[in-house]
Structure formats: structure tokens, C-alpha cells
Amino acid sequence: MGLSPLVSLGWDDAWAEEFAPYDSEGLVAGRVIRVDRGRCDVATTDGVVRADTAFVTPHDPLRVVCTGDWVAVEPSGNPRYVRAYLPRRTAFVRSTSSKRSEGQILAANVDHAVIAVSLAVELDLGRVERFLALAWESGAQPVVVLTKADLVPEAVSLGHLVEDVETSAPGVPVLAVSSATGSGLDLLEAVLAGGTAVLLGQSGAGKSTLANALLGEDVMDVRATRDMDGKGRHTTTTRNLLALPGGGVLIDTPGLRGVGLWDAESGVGQVFSEIEEFAADCRFQDCAHVAEPGCAVLTAVDSGELSERRLESYRKLLRENQRIVAKTDARVRAEIRRDWKRKNAEGRAAMEVKRGSW
């Protein structure tokens, strides 16, 4: 089947191989460009179609259809249904704010996680590190974009801000960009060409303005931010997948007020890779880097090789991750117990019915 319209959205031979069983059933391949209340817009070779996700909406919120998924859609029908989604290569997941300790999937099959950080307000390196942990855990390559760079006209000052973020983001490209002047956009376009990127950040970080600059047109709504804290209203209310004119695909997301970790231990380790390197030289393998003798991490803090802020941020994210994992394990165990009790009750009821028939 001719799939050239989907190539610009990331379709390749590997996806075609995954889709082959559904192709033989007469289903249509497409990529989810927007999800809204149990229905989604899917880009197919026949254009964008509206489809219902009822057949692939399990109780697990991590397995619902999301923006970026490649799906198998019915060729016709009113309504049309998504019958399955292909195995995800990557998935950006955060914990919800609910007390159920559930994960929320924000985007799937992403190559780059672009973390937008506004230079209109004071840098919050701890928040940058939090986003980076989730990005690394997703399987995508993080990129930090310092937006509104035109508000820092002095090259030396801008350079220091970039260096501060680079220290908190080992192995991650850090780009200073101005959507107003176009400065730095060419470098970002080059990074994003040929893959799928998800755009992340707080409300007021300039994500929608940056998306418009990359798209070359005013597709996303933009509203002014408050001068006092740089925050703004959510101008993006859903996650939208958009093809970039220079190649590549962009998924814009609503501003995130809360960025909770979700089983991101390896991601935290990558963000703080220098701490884990120091830790390899600690006297004790289970060193907590608090007051243990022979702690190489504390020695690095004392010598100035490692900042106290970085160590405290590392401890904070590890503690948070351990809590969410423990709560999730407890929830899973509780669900297993409830399921076991339900099946037990059903078994007893069936036995009572059987006995009554004797």
C-alpha cells in the first residue's frame, strides 16, 4: 500500500513490518495526532480521520492511546475504531497528581524531548533536572532550549546561563533560542529534522511561540505571561502532533504545573552521572552519601568538584522516585488481592450453585 504521506510523520520499514499482520486484516495504518476524551484524530494515507479508542482503552492509564502512537484503524464505519496500537519505541511518562500513584503517558515514539526553559525568570535548575530525569527514562534524547534569549542581550551573561544549565545536564545539548529574533532556531531545526520531538515545559515557558517559530506559521495560540513570575495560562490544552516544514515532527504539550517522577531511577542516574561516578569509589557499596566514612561523593563536595546543590537535588529525586515506586508496588499488590478475593468469591458462588443442583 502507498504510505508516502506517512513517511513525513516518521513511518519506516520497521513500522511497516510491525503493521503487517493488521494490513492483512484490511486495517489502515495511521499516526495519532491528537487525543480528546476517548476519541482521536489519526493521520492516514486518506487524510485525517476521527476514530474511537473504546476497543483499546484498558484500565491501565499507561496503555491508553496517546499522541504519537502508530495505530491500526478500521477502513470505514461510523464511528470508526482504533483496533490496536503498535509497540512503542519510547514513551514519556510522569506520575499523576492523584493519590492512586498512577502514571500518565504524555507522548509516544519520541526521538527528542525538548525541554523549554524561559530566560524571562530566574533559572530553576532543580526543575530542569526533574524534566531531564523523565526525558532520559523515556528513551528519548533530551534537548534543553533556553527560550526568550533576546531578554538577555549581553553575550557574556547568556553564556554563563548556558554553562549553568550544561553543568546540570551532562551529555545534553543546551541551546539559547529567541523566537522573536530567530536566533538559535536554525540549530534547533537541525537537531529535530528527521525525527519526532515532544515539546515540554511549564506554562509561560514560550512553548507555543517556539512551536509557531519552528512551524513557520501561527498554528498554536499564544497568550502573554505574567511579568511577576513568568507564568501564563495553558495556551495548549491537548497534545498535538505537527509536521515541521524542514523535516521532522513536533508534539506540543500543555504547560505542566507538576512534573512527578514515574519509576525513573535510571533517568535520575543519567542526569547525575558525575555523582554516580564518584559513588563508584565510595568505601561501602550501599553508601547513602550522608555521613558514611570513606564517601567519595562527600569528598567531592568538600573539594569543590561537586556542588552541594547538585547532591541535594540528586537525593531529593531519588527519595521521590523511591516513594512512587513503593506506592505503586503497594497499589499493584492491593489490586492483585482484590482480584484474588473476587475470583475466590465467584468460585464459592459457583460451588454453591453446583451443590444446589445435586
Side-chain angles (χ1 to χ4, degrees):
M1 56 182 171
L3 287 166
S4 56
L6 297 184
V7 172
S8 63
L9 297 182
W11 184 266
D12 57 29
D13 290 342
W15 287 124
E17 185 176 347
E18 290 279 3
F19 187 77
Y22 303 107
D23 189 23
S24 64
E25 295 176 18
L27 297 174
V28 176
R31 193 166 195 190
V32 177
I33 59 177
R34 185 172 182 266
V35 178
D36 182 24
R37 298 178 181 177
R39 305 196 73 192
C40 61
D41 293 335
V42 183
T44 71
T45 53
D46 298 324
V48 176
V49 303
R50 188 75 166 157
D52 197 300
T53 65
F55 282 101
V56 282
T57 304
H59 294 301
D60 184 351
L62 295 180
R63 297 174 60 197
V64 300
V65 172
C66 76
T67 303
D69 272 327
W70 287 100
V71 296
V73 186
E74 292 176 342
S76 61
N78 187 20
R80 295 172 77 160
Y81 287 95
V82 174
R83 287 293 177 175
Y85 64 80
L86 303 186
R88 293 162 177 158
R89 294 178 183 175
T90 62
F92 192 93
V93 180
R94 68 164 179 173
S95 68
T96 64
S97 57
S98 71
K99 296 181 180 179
R100 296 191 61 193
S101 306
E102 292 178 337
Q104 177 190 21
I105 183 164
L106 299 181
N109 303 312
V110 171
D111 301 296
H112 290 96
V114 180
I115 302 163
V117 181
S118 173
L119 291 179
V121 293
E122 186 177 353
L123 280 177
D124 184 344
L125 296 177
R127 181 170 290 274
V128 173
E129 288 160 348
R130 178 180 293 272
F131 270 110
L132 287 170
L134 290 172
W136 280 123
E137 193 68 34
S138 75
Q141 166 67 50
V143 180
V144 177
V145 174
L146 303 180
T147 65
K148 308 180 184 181
D150 53 291
L151 299 181
V152 188
E154 300 83 6
V156 173
S157 299
L158 184 59
H160 287 321
L161 290 170
V162 171
E163 289 175 5
D164 287 344
V165 177
E166 286 176 337
T167 301
S168 299
V172 176
V174 179
L175 306 176
V177 170
S178 169
S179 300
T181 67
S183 174
L185 282 176
D186 55 341
L187 293 176
L188 181 57
E189 289 169 350
V191 170
L192 303 186
T196 297
V198 61
L199 189 52
L200 306 158
Q202 283 186 289
S203 299
K207 298 189 308 304
S208 295
T209 303
L210 179 60
N212 286 337
L214 291 168
L215 291 163
E217 55 182 318
D218 291 341
V219 175
M220 310 307 297
D221 184 25
V222 178
R223 295 184 185 140
T225 59
R226 298 193 301 247
D227 291 335
M228 68 187 79
D229 55 11
K231 295 180 180 179
R233 295 172 61 190
H234 294 306
T235 54
T236 303
T237 56
T238 58
R239 289 172 282 281
N240 303 282
L241 185 146
L242 306 156
L244 296 171
V249 175
L250 183 69
I251 299 175
D252 194 17
T253 65
L256 301 175
R257 289 194 180 93
V259 194
L261 298 186
W262 176 257
D263 198 5
E265 183 176 355
S266 65
V268 173
Q270 283 182 277
V271 176
F272 299 93
S273 56
E274 81 279 26
I275 295 180
E276 304 226 324
E277 289 175 7
F278 286 129
D281 294 327
C282 289
R283 181 183 302 175
F284 304 109
Q285 285 189 335
D286 60 348
C287 184
H289 321 307
V290 177
E292 296 86 348
C295 175
V297 173
L298 294 179
T299 299
V301 172
D302 291 339
S303 67
E305 293 179 87
L306 175 66
S307 73
E308 181 66 37
R309 189 207 65 79
R310 282 279 284 173
L311 178 56
E312 184 50 43
S313 183
Y314 174 68
R315 289 169 175 161
K316 180 180 179 180
L317 292 183
L318 277 185
R319 286 195 301 267
E320 179 182 328
N321 194 68
Q322 289 164 355
R323 282 198 301 272
I324 196 68
V325 169
K327 287 170 67 177
T328 303
D329 288 346
R331 179 175 59 83
V332 171
R333 288 195 299 271
E335 289 177 353
I336 292 172
R337 283 197 299 272
R338 283 196 298 271
D339 189 52
W340 178 81
K341 288 180 180 178
R342 179 182 57 79
K343 290 179 179 178
N344 222 13
E346 290 173 352
R348 286 197 302 271
M351 284 299 297
E352 291 297 328
V353 171
K354 188 174 182 180
R355 284 172 184 159
S357 65
W358 290 346

